[in-house]
Amino acid sequence: MRCGLTRASCHLKDRSTPCWRTTGAVSQRRSDDRVMSHSREERSEAPVRHIVESMAREESTSTRPLIVLGMHRSGTSLMARLLSDLGWYLGRPEELLGPREDNPDGFFERTDVQVLNDRILSQVGASWDGPPDVCELLDLEAEVGEQVAALLATLSKDAAAAPFAVKDPRLCVLWPVWERHLPPDAKLVLIFRHPAEVAASLHKRDSLPLVTGLALWEEYVRRSLVAVGDRGAVVVRYRALIDQPADAIQSLAEALGTTVPRDRLQAIRPELYRNREGACEVPLSASQSALWDWIERLPGSVDRIDLDDVPGGASERSIELVRSRRKSAALQSQVDVLRQALEESASALKQGSEVRSALELALQEARDLNEEILRSEQKLRESRDANAEALRAATIELAVFRDHVRHHESVRARQDAEIVRSSALLTRLAEERRLMDEHVEQLRVRRLEQTRRIEAMAQESHEAQVLLERLRGDLAAAHARELVRRHEREHLVRALSVVEGQRRAEEAAGRAVRASRAWRWGRKLAGPLRGPSTREEEA
């Protein structure tokens, strides 16, 4: 994609409007819905749309990717650290820049992001303190866009389910390259520090002139405001984080839709706030003062920033300072290249002299070596004939040795085969042993069961024996009783026989009496005296 403006209109020296406004114009041309959002026909619908979008953002901010934008030395590292504490993924510790003297707590900035941004800047002859024009970046978009997309994809994959955050102050001036590759729901976090404090800190760290530091602050801030567009942003002020850390962190967490751990409310170190506003003796320009006053009035969270509301553009002096700084950086880069080339040439000359001496020494050594080689060849010819016979003998010995080796290999092969068979036999024996053990175990179980059965049968036999003895006793008693009864019966039979004999005798005697004459005469004589019943009985 090419810039719709002429390249002359993009350079700082020919600008009728500041670079940050040019950036806004190019960003509007690249996005149809952003152009429509600035059209007059839809401005009447903008409040309703912004309210709906704000509600949607509030519901999902805690899971959205965040991009931290801010000028160098403005507290972007502190902000990235707070986002990490609140649950946003920045990268593994080994992927982040380590602490340095000017930032002892660490930068919380990915090394690969910084390296990529520096590479992009160097390709257009720019640097962080000599930012490039928008059109120059758009010309590089096709070349570096894939690298940006791949880096963001890697970061999103490593973050897994957690939201990720990216921090590098260079993103302010490289926004046109990064913007189209960011997730659509990415939200910005803007952190601002007083320009005088930023300039003093840059002067202390990089010996940067104070007026240049102020001009760079204005350029970075205006470009970061252009980047907001309709994405929405959380606005944080560095001084509030230092002076009232608990309230500022709580407000940040609420704006992001999350909560902050209690142990992090006091995690900020005020002693690191070394360059305060009074440290810069150069007064701010009118545009810088107006811009800072406008920033001070920004709420903690904004849904969009209308560039028409931002105070007027940078002064010609600031533009000239930024342009001069870029030229100075370019010249310094050229000087560094020339210095490196000069050092390499001097090193090459020194190495050439050393090489010449080494070559002369090597030539003399070669002559000596040639003579030694001639003597060695003579000795070699003399020893070659002697070695030929030894070689033949060695060849014969080698053939014998090879036969011996082949024999041993054959024996070894047979042994290996025997070992394999033995291993198979051992395996089979082990299996049989296992089966036998299982059979023995089954027999043991059966034996235990039979033992329990025998014991039960013995118990039953004992009980039967006791019962038999009891029955025998009862049988003997019954037999005795039977004998007694038999004797009694015999006695009764004999008694009955006696009685029966007596009865028969008495009957015979009675019949004899009744048959006698005396009985008949007596009955006749006594007949009248007896009654009728008696007579019937006798009859």
Side-chain angles (χ1 to χ4, degrees):
M1 178 178 178
R2 293 291 179 179
C3 179
L5 304 176
T6 61
R7 181 165 297 280
S9 65
C10 290
H11 291 295
L12 288 170
K13 64 181 180 179
D14 296 324
R15 291 180 188 161
S16 59
T17 57
C19 180
W20 63 276
R21 289 195 181 276
T22 303
T23 306
V26 175
S27 299
Q28 289 172 359
R29 292 189 179 205
R30 294 176 54 192
S31 176
D32 295 335
D33 53 349
R34 186 169 298 176
V35 172
M36 294 298 293
S37 69
H38 288 287
S39 63
R40 295 182 179 179
E41 289 78 9
E42 292 190 354
R43 285 191 177 180
S44 60
E45 299 177 6
V48 177
R49 185 175 68 253
H50 293 156
I51 292 174
V52 174
E53 292 176 354
S54 176
M55 293 174 63
R57 290 188 184 109
E58 290 177 358
E59 293 177 356
S60 59
T61 300
S62 61
T63 59
R64 294 169 59 179
L66 296 179
I67 310 299
V68 180
L69 296 182
M71 173 58 182
H72 296 268
R73 314 305 297 167
S74 293
T76 55
S77 299
L78 175 59
M79 176 54 59
R81 172 189 173 189
L82 293 176
L83 293 179
S84 176
D85 293 337
L86 292 177
W88 270 264
Y89 177 79
L90 298 177
R92 296 187 294 272
E94 62 271 16
E95 296 175 333
L96 305 180
L97 294 175
R100 292 196 312 219
E101 182 179 358
D102 58 320
N103 207 343
D105 288 340
F107 290 84
F108 293 87
E109 180 177 325
R110 294 180 64 91
T111 304
D112 50 3
V113 172
Q114 187 193 75
V115 170
L116 177 59
N117 287 337
D118 283 337
R119 187 186 307 125
I120 296 172
L121 290 172
S122 64
Q123 286 180 331
V124 294
S127 61
W128 71 266
D129 54 346
D133 297 323
V134 177
C135 291
E136 294 175 312
L137 296 176
L138 295 179
D139 290 341
L140 283 176
E141 185 177 9
E143 181 179 350
V144 300
E146 294 182 358
Q147 302 177 38
V148 173
L151 194 152
L152 289 172
T154 300
L155 181 58
S156 178
K157 179 181 178 182
D158 292 343
F164 67 87
V166 180
K167 170 260 176 182
D168 185 2
R170 298 165 184 80
L171 294 175
C172 295
V173 295
L174 295 177
W175 185 253
V177 176
W178 283 76
E179 179 183 16
R180 65 177 300 181
H181 302 288
L182 292 172
D185 60 340
K187 189 170 184 177
L188 305 184
V189 177
L190 304 181
I191 181 165
F192 297 108
R193 186 179 182 183
H194 194 279
E197 299 173 1
V198 173
S201 181
L202 290 174
H203 177 71
K204 180 179 180 180
R205 188 188 72 174
D206 302 315
S207 300
L208 199 67
L210 296 176
V211 291
T212 304
L214 293 174
L216 287 173
W217 173 87
E218 184 175 6
E219 184 73 14
Y220 270 72
V221 168
R222 291 187 183 277
R223 292 201 188 190
S224 65
L225 294 176
V226 171
V228 174
D230 293 332
R231 286 182 179 271
V234 177
V235 179
V236 183
R237 294 166 186 81
Y238 182 73
R239 176 171 291 182
L241 283 176
I242 299 299
D243 294 343
Q244 298 175 335
D247 294 341
I249 297 176
Q250 191 64 41
S251 299
L252 173 63
E254 292 175 358
L256 296 177
T258 185
T259 57
V260 58
R262 292 183 176 272
D263 58 341
R264 295 300 178 184
L265 292 176
Q266 304 297 331
I268 297 178
R269 298 166 57 187
E271 65 269 16
L272 296 180
Y273 191 16
R274 294 184 286 260
N275 299 287
R276 295 186 178 267
E277 181 179 349
C280 180
E281 300 177 355
V282 177
L284 305 182
S285 66
S287 62
Q288 293 165 358
S289 297
L291 180 58
W292 177 250
D293 293 340
W294 183 81
I295 290 173
E296 288 276 49
R297 294 191 298 270
L298 282 176
S301 180
V302 294
D303 294 331
R304 67 186 301 273
I305 291 180
D306 192 345
L307 300 182
D308 294 335
D309 297 336
V310 181
S315 63
E316 291 297 330
R317 183 186 180 191
S318 296
I319 297 175
E320 183 63 28
L321 286 172
V322 173
R323 184 185 65 198
S324 300
R325 183 62 187 175
R326 179 174 178 183
K327 290 182 178 179
S328 175
L331 291 175
Q332 183 64 38
S333 177
Q334 295 178 3
V335 169
D336 292 340
V337 172
L338 292 175
R339 182 183 292 111
Q340 183 179 1
L342 183 60
E343 292 175 355
E344 292 177 354
S345 299
S347 176
L349 289 175
K350 182 178 180 181
Q351 292 177 358
S353 178
E354 294 175 354
V355 169
R356 181 177 179 181
S357 300
L359 287 176
E360 292 177 353
L361 180 61
L363 182 60
Q364 182 62 36
E365 291 178 352
R367 293 194 185 101
D368 297 340
L369 182 61
N370 187 33
E371 295 177 357
E372 184 67 24
I373 289 173
L374 293 176
R375 289 192 297 269
S376 298
E377 287 179 351
Q378 180 64 29
K379 293 180 179 179
L380 181 61
R381 283 191 295 269
E382 293 174 356
S383 63
R384 183 175 55 190
D385 297 335
N387 291 335
E389 185 64 27
L391 181 59
R392 283 192 294 271
T395 303
I396 296 172
E397 291 180 0
L398 181 59
V400 174
F401 179 74
R402 285 178 178 174
D403 294 337
H404 185 67
V405 168
R406 282 193 293 271
H407 173 71
H408 278 283
E409 287 179 350
S410 176
V411 174
R412 177 67 177 274
R414 289 195 298 273
Q415 291 176 350
D416 291 341
E418 186 65 26
I419 290 173
V420 171
R421 288 193 297 273
S422 300
S423 299
L425 179 61
L426 288 175
T427 303
R428 188 169 62 257
L429 291 176
E431 181 65 20
E432 293 177 356
R433 175 66 180 273
R434 184 184 64 80
L435 296 176
M436 184 177 296
D437 291 341
E438 292 179 355
H439 183 65
V440 169
E441 181 65 19
Q442 293 175 359
L443 292 177
R444 188 181 66 82
V445 173
R446 292 178 183 176
R447 182 179 180 184
L448 290 176
E449 292 178 354
Q450 291 176 357
T451 302
R452 286 195 294 269
R453 291 177 182 175
I454 291 172
E455 291 176 352
M457 293 175 64
Q459 181 67 22
E460 293 177 357
S461 176
H462 177 71
E463 293 176 355
Q465 186 68 28
V466 172
L467 181 60
L468 181 61
E469 292 294 332
R470 188 183 301 115
L471 292 175
R472 285 178 179 175
D474 293 344
L475 182 60
H479 183 67
R481 287 193 298 272
E482 181 66 22
L483 290 176
V484 172
R485 283 195 298 272
R486 183 180 300 172
H487 290 307
E488 289 177 352
R489 187 170 58 253
E490 291 176 354
H491 179 72
L492 288 174
V493 168
R494 287 192 299 271
L496 288 173
S497 298
V498 174
V499 171
E500 183 65 23
Q502 292 176 356
R503 186 181 64 78
R504 289 176 180 176
E506 289 177 355
E507 288 179 354
R511 284 191 302 271
V513 172
R514 283 190 298 273
S516 64
R517 292 179 179 179
W519 175 261
R520 288 193 296 271
W521 286 103
R523 286 187 65 184
K524 291 179 179 180
L525 293 176
L529 297 178
R530 292 180 298 177
S533 60
T534 303
R535 287 193 298 270
E536 291 176 358
E537 289 179 359
E538 288 179 356

